[in-house]
Amino acid sequence: MCLAIPALIKTINGQQAEVDIEGVTRGVSLQLTPEARVGDYVLLHTGYAISIIDEAEAEETMKLLKELSEAN
Amino acid sequence: MKFVEEYRDPDLAKKLLERIHKNSRKSIRLMEFCGGHTVAIFRHGIRQLLPDTIKMLSGPGCPVCVTASADLDKAIALADMKDVIVASFGDMVRVPGSYSSLQKAKADGADIRIVYSVQDALAIASENPGKQVVFVGIGFETTAPTVAASVLQAQTEEIVNYSILSLHKICPPVMKAILDLGEVNLSGIICPGHVSAIIGSHPYQFIPDHYGIACAVSGFEPLDILLAVDMLVGQIESGQPRVEIAYRRGVKPEGNTQAVKLMESVFEVSDANWRGIGAIPASGLRLRGEYGKYDAEKRFEIEPGPAIEPKGCICGSILRGVSTPLECRLFRRTCTPESPVGPCMVSSEGTCATYYYYQGS
Amino acid sequence: MDDKILLAHGSGGKLSHDLIESFLPELSNPMLDKLDDSAVFDLSGRLAFTTDSYTVNPIFFPGGDIGKLAVCGTVNDLSMSGARPLYLSLSFIIEEGLPVADLKKILVSIKNTAAEAGVKIITGDTKVVNRGSADRIFINISGIGVIPEGVDISAANARPGDKIIINGNIGDHGIAVLSQREGLEFKLPVPSDCAPLNGLVSEMLAASKKIRCLRDPTRGGLATTLNDFAEQSSFGIIIEEERIPVHRAVMAACELFGFDPLYIANEGKLAAVVAAEDAEVILAEMKRNKYGKDAVIIGEVVAGHPGQVVMKTTLGASRIVDMPVGELLPRIC
């Protein structure tokens, strides 16, 4: 697979962004996700944001997980 | 970490496991295609927690493991050339080729730089105008777009001493090849999460359609994987295989179309050699003709000599899901992470290394 | 004086003399100041003697530098055998071209750390080598200490039922150094944990006679130390994943580069195996020391699975924790 972790975009300068992961900050390229905005969480893989995390979908999944657990 | 920790919640995991135990009746075999899933499954001990009805098999989804010796030999041959700097991800440096490894070549004086990002390779090229910098392009659809982006950047910034040894591979064709071999009787596949972040979930549609096999795209946290297993059990028990996504926060059905476009503008599909599996038509990526000057195989005459596969190594059948490392004569005896014989023992997400580290003797 | 170290500084002539003279005030003590070929001193009792070389790159990192690291490393190695560290040797191998200011900074740091640890540098050496023959500066420090009466610390002493204590978050040093590495640069809000632990150890030894094993989980991380305990005692070890203390940022960096914090180096940590009945007393004593305030029990020694370390995962499963292999490299998959 490919290691990718969620990172929060703090600032954007052209195609480069600065992201924060629990206090760790680093520059990343937004060449693959040009629509990313400050405040978005992106999946970070080898210094590139490969997708923007869909927070609404994340909530839906959490809801689904809770429903499935409670349906037992 | 947001979007990570909540998917490790032990209470929710326990309840989801209870549900899987309750719902899983048929004996089924699920393949986690991706090495990252193999590691996550072992790291959290998920295999032990699943019901006996579910057998998990590991697949070929480790880009390091499936790199053919002959291709690795090319990287080493390039590193041995005068005034060539080879830049590689850390994953590749210990993998044995036919005669050597990048690590050994480095000890012998080759200039090999380990990079975290292809951007770093590009930076090395601009800092060393008198040298040629070759990036060893390994990885599936997750990584290939980043390498494509670096080629476009090299073009824009007129960095001429930069080229790619493209060993990139793509996932759906190898899934098809494994299913066509018919060696493993699969009921369901846990599809790779971060490959799918790029290509989406549509490319797997042929798996339920043509093979009647269930599919779920999964993330890498325990709840992601358990949700994927739950989806697969549901599809199998109801006899309705399809493609579901258990990782919707990261994967859209259509994927990241921009990244795909970028990847396809630089690379074109080609045949590729998979270690242990052999040649699979249309399963690799090579630089398109218009980017030929960034193609290391065109820029340099590389003659690494005939490739030799290690004797007795069964990485091939492990990658196909046919065997487990425990069935290999070399496992833990002559083949260990310190002196790996085959690639599945080298890569930290290789099936053999995962068994070695997490399962004990 | 020149602003860069030259080969001539190691030639034994005038420049060498000047260089050494410029060190002396920083490290001054009667034994060193004699500048004889060897330091001469009296010691009695059981002695502990250790040596280590330090080649860290970069030489300055958040929370320390190669000088502090060298003093702490040797002081801690002595402390882990229960010894009270007393005297150190100090030997530099310097690559020509090292800024003199860097050397001064390292010296001040050695002085301060030695002062904190209460140890004296009583003999030393400096060599300068051609550019490319070393990486800026290497340091070797040997140390000698006295083991108090009745103290018997060894990895082989672990017994089933004993508790395992760690004195705080793991992985800080390795990740802090990594954050400075060329090509990987990232900002980390956590400095290296580099610290002399002899004070903490002596307080622990004063609090209990039932401390069986001590080890500082440096290279190879906590996983390696625990495997050493298991192997050398021929018992098993069980640790609990959710009790292992890791700073959130260090964890994040580990996730980013594909590392397991159990394998990351520490320079101010100790893992202790102690008798169960004294564990709480020792823990309370440790928490009073600034280098032990985050101490926590992470597991225990068991009779089962001899020689192996097993971790109970947060999900309630268990898995083996093996020794790491080779250099840790950032990975993409």
Side-chain angles (χ1 to χ4, degrees), chain B residues 23 26 231-242 244:
Chain B
N23 293 346
K26 296 180 187 163
M231 285 174 168
L232 292 174
V233 167
Q235 291 181 35
I236 296 163
E237 293 292 335
S238 67
Q240 290 174 322
R242 58 191 181 277
E244 288 184 274

Side-chain angles (χ1 to χ4, degrees), chain B residues 1 5 8-10 13 42-46 48-49 63-64 89-91 93-94 114 116 120 127 138 143 222 332 337-338 347-349 356-361, chain C residues 182-184 241-242 248 251-252 255-261 263 308 311 313-333:
Chain B
M1 283 163 73
E5 250 153 69
R8 291 181 181 174
D9 182 330
F42 276 83
R43 180 171 162 194
H44 299 287
I46 291 173
Q48 316 156 29
L49 302 171
V64 175
F89 291 131
D91 310 50
V93 300
R94 281 199 285 262
I114 293 158
Y116 161 71
D120 306 330
E127 286 156 17
I138 59 153
T143 316
R332 276 190 186 279
E338 291 119 272
S347 167
S348 41
E349 65 163 20
Y356 186 97
Y357 277 119
Y358 295 121
Q359 186 139 308
S361 46
Chain C
E182 206 185 343
L184 286 186
E241 185 172 26
E242 55 191 7
R248 296 175 73 82
M251 194 66 219
E255 301 275 355
L256 183 60
F257 297 108
F259 297 143
D260 184 336
Y263 296 113
Q308 269 187 345
M311 179 152 91
T313 73
T314 313
L315 296 191
S318 56
R319 67 159 169 100
I320 302 286
V321 176
D322 211 326
M323 291 265 197
V325 170
E327 187 192 359
L328 281 180
L329 300 172
R331 58 191 180 90
I332 63 150
C333 56

Side-chain angles (χ1 to χ4, degrees), chain C residues 9-292:
Chain C
H9 283 116
S11 65
K14 173 84 172 74
L15 276 177
S16 300
H17 182 80
D18 290 353
L19 185 66
I20 291 166
E21 287 290 318
S22 73
F23 285 9
L24 274 185
E26 297 293 355
L27 305 175
S28 173
N29 63 65
M31 264 191 269
L32 182 69
D33 295 348
K34 282 186 186 162
L35 292 179
D36 284 336
D37 277 356
S38 10
V40 178
F41 53 90
D42 292 314
L43 271 184
S44 61
R46 287 178 71 217
L47 303 182
F49 179 49
T50 187
T51 188
D52 210 339
S53 298
Y54 301 85
T55 59
V56 66
N57 176 18
I59 56 178
F60 298 102
F61 49 83
D65 56 62
I66 190 169
K68 181 178 181 187
L69 185 70
V71 174
C72 292
T74 299
V75 162
N76 292 348
D77 280 348
L78 290 170
S79 306
M80 295 308 130
S81 55
R84 193 162 56 85
L86 292 175
Y87 302 127
L88 305 181
S89 70
L90 170 65
S91 180
F92 292 116
I93 294 176
I94 302 172
E95 182 187 28
E96 64 176 326
L98 180 81
V100 170
D102 283 359
L103 183 61
K104 280 268 182 222
K105 245 166 101 177
I106 291 167
L107 272 169
V108 169
S109 158
I110 288 174
K111 170 181 124 175
N112 293 340
T113 314
E116 183 189 346
V119 293
K120 289 191 172 63
I121 287 146
I122 57 170
T123 185
D125 182 48
T126 303
K127 293 284 186 297
V128 181
V129 297
N130 285 310
R131 201 169 258 277
S133 297
D135 189 1
R136 285 182 291 175
I137 182 166
F138 297 156
I139 301 179
N140 174 279
I141 292 193
S142 298
I144 197 157
V146 177
I147 300 177
E149 201 71 28
V151 169
D152 174 25
I153 307 285
S154 161
N157 290 350
R159 294 289 171 268
D162 288 353
K163 299 290 180 196
I164 299 161
I165 302 175
I166 181 96
N167 63 324
N169 288 336
I170 60 166
D172 295 359
H173 174 75
I175 297 297
V177 170
L178 190 78
S179 74
Q180 304 296 302
R181 194 157 294 173
E182 206 185 343
L184 286 186
E185 293 100 339
F186 56 95
K187 285 198 204 84
L188 183 76
V190 185
S192 162
D193 59 344
C194 186
L197 298 175
N198 52 327
L200 176 63
V201 169
S202 72
E203 288 158 24
M204 290 167 69
L205 290 171
S208 167
K209 298 268 174 261
K210 292 180 179 169
I211 295 170
R212 318 257 206 233
C213 333
L214 291 170
R215 193 156 287 193
D216 51 344
T218 53
R219 273 174 314 169
L222 182 60
T224 302
T225 295
L226 296 177
N227 272 283
D228 287 343
F229 287 160
E231 209 164 280
Q232 290 172 31
S233 68
S234 300
F235 291 112
I237 282 177
I238 289 191
I239 53 170
E240 288 181 46
E241 185 172 26
E242 55 191 7
R243 290 196 183 194
I244 310 282
V246 187
H247 190 283
R248 296 175 73 82
V250 169
M251 194 66 219
C254 284
E255 301 275 355
L256 183 60
F257 297 108
F259 297 143
D260 184 336
L262 285 172
Y263 296 113
I264 306 288
N266 309 278
E267 291 293 347
K269 289 288 138 23
L270 63 81
V273 177
V274 307
E277 62 269 28
D278 277 14
E280 288 303 329
V281 174
I282 295 166
L283 198 62
E285 186 63 36
M286 289 173 79
K287 282 173 186 284
R288 277 193 276 275
N289 186 296
K290 67 173 167 173
Y291 298 129

